[in-house]
Amino acid sequence: MTVDLGKVAKDKGIKYFLVSFTDLFGAQRAKLVPASAIAGMQADGAGFAGFATWLDMTPADPDLFARPDPASLVQLPWKPEVGWLAADLWMSGKAVEQGPRNVLKAQIDRAAAMGFQMKTGVECEFFLVDAEGSAIADAADTQVKPCYDQQALMRRYDVVTEICDAMLDLGWRPYQNDHEDANGQFEMNWHYDDALVTADRHAFFKYMAKAIAEKHGLRATFMPKPFTHLTGNGCHMHVSLWQGDSNVFKDDTHPAGLSQTGLNFIGGIINVADALAAFLNPTVNSYKRINAPRTTSGATWAPNSVTWTGNNRTHMIRVPEGDRFELRLADGAVNPYLMAASVLAAGLDGIEQRRDPGKRLDINMYTEGHTVTDVKKLPLNLLDALRALEASPLETMLGPVVPSYLKLKHGEWNDYARQLTDWERATTLDC
């Protein structure tokens, strides 16, 4: 039965709707639609010029239409007269194949055809910084090891609990909030769900955290590495695969704790991990996190090699329990939809091709990683990641989004390469 958003607006007191979509660079775009006009938008979509956003389009392309998904509706807890809606992109009567949400839905359909449903949870890390973004907002947050610092957490009680209260009201089942490993850094966790539900919530969470921080005169940033000496912002992803009510990763009889299906899924990710980095670590700044030197806290908590393990946080993939694995590669800049889509695509390929994940390693990769010579290293920069994506089978798996993404990201890299930095002048002016 189709949900009538006009009726929902009357029932819930919604005056306006934010019809929102996420472009290829992870930026959220929206139209603010009065409730009186939402019926038309629900039928036909809100119109956009695709070239004006980060999509691979030209000014000559026809109108881009964002059709809202009523199932994604979130009534803004801090402004309840506004309803947020995730939207799917359409053009000329067809779904836009490079639209990130459409890409994820296509992979979900592929999984369903194989009898699977992927469920995910994400751990979103962010810094609370001053309005200019130049320094952490709490001048008293100075501990060398600030992770779980009770005093620093409670000094940001108003911001953290307003966000958590919102998630409670929305039924997301949040279960913990903490001060993270860097000064000024926080993480908030909510319950896992279907991959599309989690991706929509992830997209909304980033907007919500930023909006509530602004209410308090602060700025929330998910930038992968905003401060060179501090731990960066990760976005760890917990993944499980289901058939109905049965978790097909769980196999207590297997020595690794995961079923053969789970191991093959991980094998698929291992197979294309360097290419996945182009999606999961999508910015120039990302590679200052995954290939970072030791931070003031003593560890980066980020991987630099393509390895998997048990309950050990120094590897790219951690298996804390036999019912799921944690992928520790992605960072705060990741596109919620492309993250889930690319991981699912790689995992399904691993199942189809029965890919072996290789030997489980239980060493401390931060101190003993140099002793392992037969594992792949993660890309050193965005250009290396893009080249790995070009050489990978992910385009076959994901479709037209890959060449479009590569085109725009190569443009971003070229723009970066044209910049002259203070470091270059300081080290080269008197050469």
Side-chain angles (χ1 to χ4, degrees):
M1 181 177 176
T2 302
V3 175
D4 182 343
L5 287 173
K7 183 177 185 304
V8 170
K10 291 179 181 178
D11 293 342
K12 293 182 175 292
I14 296 174
K15 296 179 180 179
Y16 289 91
F17 289 91
L18 271 174
V19 179
S20 175
F21 72 90
T22 302
D23 68 19
L24 286 176
F25 281 15
Q28 291 189 55
R29 313 288 180 163
K31 288 281 184 79
L32 187 62
V33 177
S36 59
I38 195 61
M41 301 298 171
Q42 185 172 2
D44 303 320
F48 295 81
F51 178 71
T53 74
W54 287 117
L55 293 167
D56 181 21
M57 295 180 180
T58 76
D61 282 315
D63 283 346
L64 177 73
F65 289 98
R67 293 184 183 173
D69 180 351
S72 70
L73 175 65
V74 174
Q75 196 167 358
L76 304 192
W78 67 95
K79 198 182 291 290
E81 69 269 25
V82 178
W84 179 91
L85 289 159
D88 298 322
L89 298 181
W90 289 72
M91 182 181 285
S92 301
K94 297 180 181 178
V96 176
E97 291 182 303
Q98 61 173 289
R101 198 171 190 265
N102 292 339
V103 175
L104 175 54
K105 290 173 75 173
Q107 292 304 312
I108 289 172
D109 289 345
R110 180 182 164 212
M114 296 171 64
F116 298 125
Q117 176 193 20
M118 185 173 78
K119 295 185 181 183
T120 60
V122 290
E123 300 176 11
C124 295
E125 296 174 348
F126 61 95
F127 282 84
L128 289 175
V129 298
D130 59 24
E132 292 74 32
S134 58
I136 64 170
D138 183 358
D141 190 349
T142 58
Q143 283 202 45
V144 172
K145 283 187 176 288
C147 202
Y148 316 123
D149 182 356
Q150 181 172 277
Q151 291 294 118
L153 175 63
M154 292 306 290
R155 282 197 296 272
R156 288 290 170 250
Y157 176 86
D158 290 349
V159 179
V160 170
T161 56
E162 185 170 349
I163 297 171
C164 189
D165 285 345
M167 291 193 285
L168 287 165
D169 290 343
L170 294 171
W172 292 12
R173 298 162 65 189
Y175 55 89
Q176 63 185 13
N177 313 290
D178 67 76
H179 188 293
E180 266 298 320
D181 190 66
N183 306 110
Q185 188 184 46
F186 299 85
E187 178 181 300
M188 308 183 72
N189 303 127
W190 66 91
H191 203 265
Y192 71 92
D193 212 312
D194 175 78
L196 182 62
V197 172
T198 295
D200 285 339
R201 289 176 178 176
H202 183 182
F204 182 79
F205 177 83
K206 293 180 73 172
Y207 165 59
M208 176 168 62
K210 293 173 185 178
I212 290 176
E214 287 176 4
K215 276 185 60 180
H216 292 266
L218 306 175
R219 188 171 180 176
T221 178
F222 295 82
M223 182 178 178
K225 188 76 169 176
F227 304 103
T228 57
H229 63 296
L230 299 177
T231 305
N233 282 324
C235 185
H236 302 156
M237 180 186 189
H238 291 257
V239 180
S240 57
L241 205 64
W242 296 72
Q243 289 181 323
D245 294 329
S246 177
N247 183 337
V248 298
F249 280 0
K250 190 172 179 60
D251 184 354
D252 295 333
T253 66
H254 197 283
L258 281 176
S259 67
Q260 190 60 50
T261 299
L263 291 171
N264 291 150
F265 195 106
I266 289 176
I269 294 173
I270 295 283
N271 182 54
V272 292
D274 52 348
L276 283 176
F279 290 120
L280 305 190
N281 309 108
T283 71
V284 170
N285 179 257
S286 295
Y287 298 85
K288 291 179 169 60
R289 169 185 168 266
I290 62 172
N291 291 298
R294 179 174 162 172
T295 64
T296 55
S297 73
T300 65
W301 301 105
N304 55 33
S305 301
V306 182
T307 57
W308 74 283
T309 186
N311 200 351
N312 178 335
R313 288 180 168 85
T314 65
H315 293 257
M316 188 186 80
I317 294 177
R318 177 175 77 106
V319 184
E321 299 173 29
D323 59 351
R324 72 186 191 282
F325 67 83
E326 177 191 45
L327 178 60
R328 299 176 60 81
L329 181 58
D331 61 50
V334 71
N335 184 310
Y337 302 99
L338 295 183
M339 174 170 68
S342 59
V343 168
L344 180 54
L348 294 177
D349 174 73
I351 293 172
E352 289 177 325
Q353 303 301 322
R354 298 182 180 179
R355 298 198 185 276
D356 185 350
K359 182 181 178 182
R360 167 178 159 169
L361 296 176
D362 293 313
I363 63 173
N364 182 339
M365 285 298 291
Y366 295 158
T367 58
E368 301 175 69
H370 65 281
T371 67
V372 184
T373 58
D374 58 348
V375 298
K376 289 192 295 185
K377 293 290 186 181
L378 290 168
L380 292 174
N381 55 52
L382 179 60
L383 181 60
D384 285 350
L386 296 176
R387 287 171 172 168
L389 178 57
E390 288 170 332
S392 80
L394 277 172
E395 181 175 351
T396 301
M397 301 178 201
L398 291 171
V401 67
V402 174
S404 291
Y405 185 83
L406 285 166
K407 175 183 174 182
L408 294 179
K409 280 294 174 180
H410 272 298
E412 182 179 24
W413 173 264
N414 291 337
D415 182 51
Y416 161 72
R418 286 190 290 266
Q419 305 304 311
L420 181 64
T421 66
D422 290 341
W423 180 90
E424 290 172 273
R425 293 185 63 85
T427 58
T428 316
L429 196 63
D430 292 322
C431 65

